[in-house]
Amino acid sequence: MDTLVATTPATDAPAALRRLYFLRFAFAAVWASLLFATADELTAPSAVLLVIYPLFDVACAVVDVRSARAHGGPVRHLYLNIVLSALTGVGLAVAATSGIPTVLRVWGVWAVTAGLVQLLVGAARRRLGGQWAMIASGGISTLAGASFFAQAGKEGASLSGLAGYAFLGGVFFLVSALRLGRASKGA
């Protein structure tokens, strides 16, 4: 006889979020490696990479919204993230035709706004555990965004900082995924 075991939103939500965070880490690590290899000049491949990153963020946020909605979690700030990332994808496609400084400005604005949203989402989810890394990442993203904007006005602007930013963000997703695993084992 098969027994159907009902899972509670309290255990399902962290597990879904954990899987998403592991995926985000893996993507960020690969993406950062590819961008770093082409960071000194803005080429067609690097432009494609630049546009893909925020579009991947949109896809992840859509998955996150579906999971959060299914488990009764907050979604309002996730919708804001979807809009910001989609607009950034378009903005980066246009900026890539103008050069690295323009790309850095667009990315900088996105990093500041997305960082603030990430702070809000992490704070709203703190009861799930493992969110201190998301809160810290949001704060660092905000500061990094201002840095990218400032770097855009300097000689020798490069995309390498964006690769480092993405990788560090991925590490925060990894830490949060690992912490969510510990939190669910402790529950």
Side-chain angles (χ1 to χ4, degrees):
M1 176 182 205
D2 289 336
T3 305
L4 185 60
V5 177
T7 56
T8 63
T11 58
D12 286 349
L17 203 52
R18 188 171 190 244
R19 286 188 300 273
L20 182 62
Y21 286 177
F22 277 130
L23 175 66
R24 292 188 74 137
F25 164 71
F27 177 82
V30 170
W31 184 91
S33 298
L34 293 171
L35 186 66
F36 193 72
T38 62
D40 291 333
E41 58 185 319
L42 188 56
T43 62
S46 60
V48 169
L49 283 171
L50 291 167
V51 172
I52 286 173
Y53 195 90
L55 297 182
F56 180 78
D57 193 58
V58 168
C60 288
V62 167
V63 169
D64 201 352
V65 164
R66 288 180 182 163
S67 176
R69 227 182 309 142
H71 300 103
V75 297
R76 180 181 47 168
H77 295 113
L78 294 172
Y79 285 122
L80 179 58
N81 185 55
I82 290 169
V83 171
L84 288 171
S85 294
L87 290 173
T88 299
V90 172
L92 287 170
V94 172
T97 65
S98 297
I100 290 175
T102 306
V103 165
L104 289 172
R105 286 183 186 100
V106 170
W107 195 285
V109 169
W110 180 46
V112 168
T113 57
L116 293 172
V117 170
Q118 191 173 16
L119 277 166
L120 294 171
V121 170
R125 287 182 169 165
R126 68 186 176 279
R127 67 176 169 70
L128 294 176
Q131 295 302 300
W132 68 266
M134 293 294 92
I135 294 167
S137 179
I140 291 169
S141 180
T142 302
L143 295 173
S147 167
F148 296 139
F149 204 89
Q151 181 189 357
K154 296 181 179 175
E155 286 293 318
S158 167
L159 300 173
S160 62
L162 303 183
Y165 165 84
F167 183 75
L168 181 60
V171 168
F172 277 110
F173 277 113
L174 176 62
V175 168
S176 194
L178 295 172
R179 297 290 300 165
L180 279 168
R182 285 188 184 158
S184 67
K185 286 178 186 173

